């Protein structure tokens, strides 16, 4: 065989309802594990364990491959146009339904830190919804996004296309801390 | 990371039960969004939209910040020894409870791709459980783990410390498909 062996992630399939539910739950579990390990890696770095930090980042990556595999089986990976629509839909749900409801509960129960965490997220999801919307319009005309940098506040997730502001409008973090993509 | 920077993060807080439920669900949502956007970035690259790929990666990072904030408020980020214990417990649950149950149902429903996605994950979680157990012993003595490379199969998430095998023992992907940390 001239071509090198090439493996592929598990493919989409028609599933039994219980299996579909389980794979969806496994996608949630793997995604959360991956995110926890990334946060734990930062702590390990701060605690002076650089090799444990590296282990956490490697295992976070492994959980990401599992999340991708489960998402593939669920048929959740489409074309970029479909993916942008799905992303827009997710952000819209969080903005109009999820975070307002959670915020009302956190207010009622006077949990201040929870309100801050919810507000940071909600404000950034509004940025994302707008950016996905204009990007989707471009792709429908078969155009890529412009080549400007995308910058993200490492505290609250505020997202801008182009230059970082002097100060994050949501949380006051200096623009020099923004991470550039 | 300076103090002023740290101060802007939402703090750990004693949460009422319903607010905690809300934050747990928000953490699950943000984690899944972050993982999906990474997969969507790869898809955008394949379709020749490099700037949209960058956008998906940037917004994935923003969702990672939200996930970390929610986790921090819920007191889910602790010392490295505690984080390793939490990681070990999570992997154990997936190996002993979650994936065996899901695997059984996928088999009963003759879902071959779901079975494959589950098998890949459970095999890798066994590697992770062992690595986290060893690392925790070290961290309890105030020691870092050894400075060896950690490599991950990008198809199935198989994780090794040290040399990469010629072929992945779980999914048979070639050596070139490993990512080294």
């Amino acid at each position: 065989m001239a071509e090198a062996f090439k493996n592929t992630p598990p493919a989409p399939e028609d599933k039994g309802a219980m299996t579909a539910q389980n794979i969806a739950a496994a996608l949630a579990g793997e995604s959360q594990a991956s995110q926890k390990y990334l946060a734990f890696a930062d702590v390990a770095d701060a605690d002076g364990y650089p090799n444990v930090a590296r282990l956490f980042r490697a295992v976070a990556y492994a959980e990401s491959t599992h999340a991708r595999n489960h998402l593939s089986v669920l048929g959740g990976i489409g074309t970029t146009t479909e993916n942008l629509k799905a992303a827009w839909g997710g952000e819209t749900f969080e903005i109009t339904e999820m975070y307002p409801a959670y915020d009302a509960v956190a207010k009622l129960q006077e949990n201040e830190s929870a309100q801050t965490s919810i507000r940071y997220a909600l404000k950034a999801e509004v940025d994302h919804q707008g950016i996905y919307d204009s990007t989707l319009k471009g792709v429908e005309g078969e155009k890529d996004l412009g080549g400007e940098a995308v910058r993200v506040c490492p505290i609250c997730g505020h997202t801008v296309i182009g230059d970082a502001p002097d100060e994050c409008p949501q949380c006051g973090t200096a623009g020099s801390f923004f991470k550039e993509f | 990371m300076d103090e002023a920077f740290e101060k802007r993060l939402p703090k750990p807080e004693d949460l009422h039960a319903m607010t905690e439920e809300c934050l747990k669900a928000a953490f699950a949502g943000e984690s899944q969004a972050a993982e999906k956007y990474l997969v969507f970035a790869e898809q955008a690259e394949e379709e020749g939209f490099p700037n949209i790929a960058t956008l998906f990666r940037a917004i994935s990072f923003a969702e990672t910040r939200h996930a970390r904030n929610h986790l921090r408020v819920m007191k889910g980020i602790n010392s490295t020894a505690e984080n390793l214990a939490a990681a070990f417990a999570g992997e154990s649950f997936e190996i002993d409870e979650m994936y065996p149950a899901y695997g059984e149902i996928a088999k009963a429903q003759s879902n071959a791709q779901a079975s494959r996605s589950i098998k890949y994950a459970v095999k890798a979680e066994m590697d992770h459980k062992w690595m986290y157990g060893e690392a925790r012993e070290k961290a309890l003595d105030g020691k870092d783990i050894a400075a060896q490379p950690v490599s991950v199969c990008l198809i199935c998430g198989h994780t090794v410390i040290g040399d990469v095998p010629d072929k992945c023992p779980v999914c048979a992907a070639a050596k070139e498909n490993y990512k080294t940390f």
Side-chain angles (χ1 to χ4, degrees), chain A residues 5 7-8 11 13 19 30 37 54 64 66 68 70 80 91 99 109 112-113 117 125 145 155-156, chain B residues 11 13 16 19 30 35 37 47 51 66 70 91 99 109 113-114 116-117 125 154-156 171-172:
Chain A
F5 170 82
N7 205 340
T8 53
E13 74 182 337
T19 296
E30 297 288 353
Y37 298 162
R54 212 159 35 74
S64 286
H66 301 154
R68 176 212 53 210
H70 297 334
T80 292
E91 302 289 350
Y99 279 125
Q109 302 198 320
E112 297 283 340
S113 243
S117 203
E125 311 317 5
L145 193 67
I155 295 290
C156 75
Chain B
K11 291 174 203 43
E13 182 176 38
H16 286 278
T19 299
E30 296 288 353
E35 297 299 324
Y37 296 164
E47 288 179 33
N51 297 321
H66 300 153
H70 297 337
E91 302 289 348
Y99 280 126
Q109 300 198 322
Q113 297 301 319
R116 204 170 131 220
S117 203
E125 310 318 6
L154 62 84
I155 298 294
C156 75
C171 75

Side-chain angles (χ1 to χ4, degrees), chain A residues 104-170:
Chain A
V105 175
K107 271 203 188 100
L108 173 76
Q109 302 198 320
E110 297 177 346
N111 280 134
E112 297 283 340
S113 243
Q115 287 174 54
T116 304
S117 203
I118 289 166
R119 187 183 72 242
Y120 283 176
L122 174 57
K123 294 276 186 187
E125 311 317 5
V126 175
D127 305 331
H128 303 164
Q129 185 198 43
I131 297 170
Y132 281 142
D133 188 47
S134 55
T135 306
L136 181 60
K137 290 200 177 93
V139 169
E140 281 168 343
E142 288 179 14
K143 268 199 307 222
D144 194 4
L145 193 67
E148 297 135 291
V150 186
R151 292 184 171 85
V152 180
C153 174
I155 295 290
C156 75
H158 173 57
T159 306
V160 288
I161 293 191
D163 293 335
D166 290 339
E167 240 185 30
C168 176
Q170 309 309 343

